[in-house]
Amino acid sequence: MAEQTHRIGILGSGNIFGRYVTGLARYPELEIVRVGDIDVARAKQAAADHSIPAWGDDRGLYADDSVDIVVNLTPPVHHARTIITALEAGKHVYVEKPLATTVTDGEAVLAAASRTGRVLGSAPDTFLGSATQTARKAIDSGLIGTPIGASAFIGHSKAETWHPNPAFLFQPGGGPVMDMGPYYLAILVNCLGPVSTVSAAARTGVPERTVTAPERTVDTIEVTIPTHTGAVLTFASGVIATTQMSFDVWDSDLPYLEIYGSEGTLSLANPNHFDGDVRLRRHGDGDWTVLEPALELFGAVGTREQSRRGLGVRDLANAVEGGPHRANAAFAFHVLETLCALEGSAQQGGSVTLSSSCERPQPRFTV
């Protein structure tokens, strides 16, 4: 399929903005033409720093006819409103995770995409990288036999030590479930299919956190959401996954993510990264084997390249061109509902049955 030029307007010029600019630069056909922010001065500075030709407030971005794809990097609590506004302005939209912060808002976003006929995609896009695609290929090829179980472990990102104001991570819409959970759930659903039920328990570890980041703008933040959650997820396939999602575990030797089958185990690298070793150990093997990547790397492992973003935007542009859409809205909504059900189970007690489902995304590797 011939590639066409897509004109990108980035909404929001905060902490992750530079990662998208750097990642999108890998694709000459994805041209950033405008940056919009409610803080116009910040948008102007971002445009100057990255040689982006136009800048202004959010309304200016929606009204700019030269923009056909909006990359939405606003805080999660603003996702639903800004997505719908962009869709109704005739733009295709790729949004940072999560798709929304509630199921109701997520449903409104899906309805807006359907109503406007625009393409909507959502992070996380790390499941499109070589690591998860390699794991998916191993599972689909039967290397671990029939999948039986999985485990996922989220430790603290130590945001207080590097983010100038991580308050949003400890408020509704944040926390380990909504902040880091999407990366892990997207990988699990990509590899194992949709989730059917969840059961969880949660607590708040420390009610106030001290911020030590060198360029901090606040000294302390109040914690208003649970920061330590344990859960059991049952997939429609029958696979049972156990998860621990915590901003209270600063150090651990637990693996990020493992998938257990009737004939072996897969161990995956950091789900927040596109690439990394995928290790296989079949029953009877004397040691782990590192699998050959199923496709080319997005960036060099162990470098800052693993922090850049943009593969999901290329995926959305591919869908606009008529190709497969992997990080699509239905997939993102199912991940969102799973995470919301997890929070709901922890708050109310008991198991929660999901109402949504989704297809496993088409793999990127060639069989």
Side-chain angles (χ1 to χ4, degrees), residues 21 26 118 154 206 263:
V21 173
R26 299 181 75 243
R118 301 292 88 185
I154 297 173
V206 181
E263 297 179 24

Side-chain angles (χ1 to χ4, degrees), residues 40-106:
V40 177
R42 187 165 68 173
K44 180 180 180 180
Q45 187 62 55
D49 291 344
H50 298 280
S51 301
I52 298 171
W55 52 269
D57 63 11
D58 52 339
R59 291 173 295 180
L61 188 150
Y62 299 134
D64 191 337
D65 291 336
S66 72
V67 172
D68 54 79
I69 295 175
V70 169
V71 175
N72 187 339
L73 308 184
T74 61
V77 294
H78 301 301
H79 281 182
R81 173 181 58 82
T82 52
I83 291 170
I84 292 171
T85 302
L87 290 170
E88 291 180 342
K91 317 298 186 187
H92 306 293
V93 179
Y94 180 85
V95 65
E96 247 304 319
K97 52 80 186 168
L99 180 69
T101 57
T102 68
V103 171
T104 298
D105 281 351

